[in-house]
Amino acid sequence: MGLVAALVRSSFLVHAVYAQAARDDGLTPQQGQLLCVLMAQPYGMGELCSMLGLAKSSLTGLVDRTENNGLVRREPDPRDSRAVRVALTPRGARLADRFYTEACRRIEELPAGLDPAERDTLAGLLGRIVLDHKVPAVFAEPDQASPGG
Amino acid sequence: MGLVAALVRSSFLVHAVYAQAARDDGLTPQQGQLLCVLMAQPYGMGELCSMLGLAKSSLTGLVDRTENNGLVRREPDPRDSRAVRVALTPRGARLADRFYTEACRRIEELPAGLDPAERDTLAGLLGRIVLDHKVPAVFAEPDQASPGG
DNA sequence: TGGTTGTGGTTCGTACTGCGAACCAGTACG
DNA sequence: CGTACTGGTTCGCAGTACGAACCACAACCA
């Protein structure tokens, strides 16, 4: 298989697994992403836009829907009365944790046919590609999932 | 970077590049996919469903829209008067070719920082992951792009 | 030959995604 | 102060995707 085909097809595979994990937790992939990003800390709408690569108007809707589901909350920014901080609700935090853990587990299973050394090689090569390009930090590294403990 | 994060983020990267290539040709990613699949030969709706991993009703809409854009055509199946063959129109074929070539070019550029041996290794590892799982054949290998000339 | 069952596709209603343009409110700068 | 900029929302639009219901034909069997 050529490198292009391998990249494209593996990317579809990962996306499908990710989407299914979200679905199993009653989330859309986008809502899952939002929760994962907010696991680290609350963010303003503008920050979320650039992190998720969305237009402002798209994000408003996404946050609206996720808020209606009781998973996130808009809090006023004490420093700027126009601005808003989007934060996880307790329920959202629990669900984010669950979803994140499970999504990682499933994706980690994908390279089951590779031995540890090969996994390492793969992680290294993909990591270099990712770092060579501007990729929104949509999915924290497992090791950094809970920064600050 | 952990393997999970590398997989997820590279998958977002590939998807973004793919989507942008489609957009530059006036296509949505889904329509681009449809065209790419049909480059090989016409298919029935059912076949397309399983190849693209979509529900029947979703595919009807996708084909409708692509047909309205003049890129594909529904032809009656001579063997089954219920069935339909979806085929590229001449314009669709030209556009498919253009899009496919360009998308491949851009994706091929992603691992620019890797030397040939590393690319080979990466293709091999990803290829094994893909083959280990049921991944719809959404993107033909470059070498097989124009089967039968 | 005729009825039942299965299959290929479409239609319909619903929810979500994503964008740009227009807009409002509050901040920052002059 | 007034003007420009910025953070967010609203609105209209097009596309994506699903399941349920449905139709027409095919396939099978009695």
Side-chain angles (χ1 to χ4, degrees):
Chain A
M1 184 178 315
L3 179 51
V4 170
L7 281 170
V8 171
R9 297 180 68 176
S10 65
S11 125
F12 276 93
L13 178 59
V14 170
H15 187 270
V17 170
Y18 183 89
Q20 189 55 51
R23 181 171 276 266
D24 289 351
D25 273 331
L27 295 170
T28 63
Q30 287 77 5
Q31 288 177 6
Q33 248 182 17
L34 178 60
L35 295 193
C36 285
V37 166
L38 293 177
M39 280 174 75
Q41 55 164 294
Y43 287 104
M45 297 293 282
E47 294 171 300
L48 289 175
C49 277
S50 59
M51 273 193 269
L52 299 176
L54 292 178
K56 304 195 291 185
S57 54
S58 310
L59 189 66
T60 297
L62 177 58
V63 171
D64 281 351
R65 289 184 295 271
T66 315
E67 191 171 30
N68 288 340
N69 291 347
L71 303 175
V72 303
R73 189 171 40 209
R74 281 178 170 93
E75 299 170 347
D77 183 326
R79 274 153 191 72
D80 185 339
S81 66
R82 293 168 304 177
V84 153
R85 318 240 77 204
V86 183
L88 293 174
T89 62
R91 214 184 111 216
R94 279 195 299 277
L95 189 54
D97 216 61
R98 210 175 93 150
F99 165 62
Y100 178 80
T101 304
E102 176 65 11
C104 282
R105 198 187 62 70
R106 295 194 195 182
I107 289 169
E108 199 143 33
E109 270 178 8
L110 287 180
L114 307 186
D115 65 40
E118 289 171 328
R119 284 161 177 257
D120 238 44
T121 306
L122 180 59
L125 294 174
L126 283 182
R128 276 168 59 193
I129 294 182
V130 168
L131 295 179
D132 280 352
H133 300 82
K134 282 271 179 329
V135 184
V138 280
F139 215 63
E141 288 70 55
D143 325 345
Q144 314 176 357
S146 316
Chain B
M1 183 179 315
L3 180 51
V4 170
L7 281 169
V8 172
R9 297 180 69 177
S10 64
S11 126
F12 275 95
L13 178 58
V14 170
H15 187 270
V17 170
Y18 183 89
Q20 189 54 53
R23 182 172 275 268
D24 289 350
D25 274 331
L27 294 169
T28 63
Q30 288 77 4
Q31 289 177 7
Q33 247 181 21
L34 179 60
L35 295 194
C36 285
V37 167
L38 293 177
M39 281 174 76
Q41 53 163 294
Y43 287 104
M45 299 293 282
E47 292 171 299
L48 289 175
C49 277
S50 60
M51 274 193 268
L52 299 176
L54 293 178
K56 303 195 292 182
S57 54
S58 310
L59 189 66
T60 296
L62 177 58
V63 171
D64 281 352
R65 289 184 295 272
T66 314
E67 191 170 29
N68 288 340
N69 290 347
L71 302 176
V72 302
R73 189 172 40 209
R74 280 177 170 94
E75 299 170 347
D77 184 326
R79 275 155 190 69
D80 186 338
S81 66
R82 294 168 303 177
V84 153
R85 320 239 75 206
V86 183
L88 294 174
T89 62
R91 213 184 111 217
R94 279 195 300 277
L95 188 55
D97 216 60
R98 209 175 95 151
F99 165 62
Y100 178 79
T101 304
E102 177 63 13
C104 281
R105 198 187 63 69
R106 295 195 196 182
I107 291 170
E108 199 143 34
E109 269 177 9
L110 288 179
L114 307 186
D115 64 39
E118 288 171 329
R119 284 161 178 257
D120 238 44
T121 305
L122 180 59
L125 293 174
L126 282 181
R128 276 168 59 192
I129 294 182
V130 168
L131 294 179
D132 280 352
H133 299 81
K134 282 273 181 323
V135 185
V138 279
F139 216 63
E141 288 70 54
D143 325 345
Q144 316 175 354
S146 313

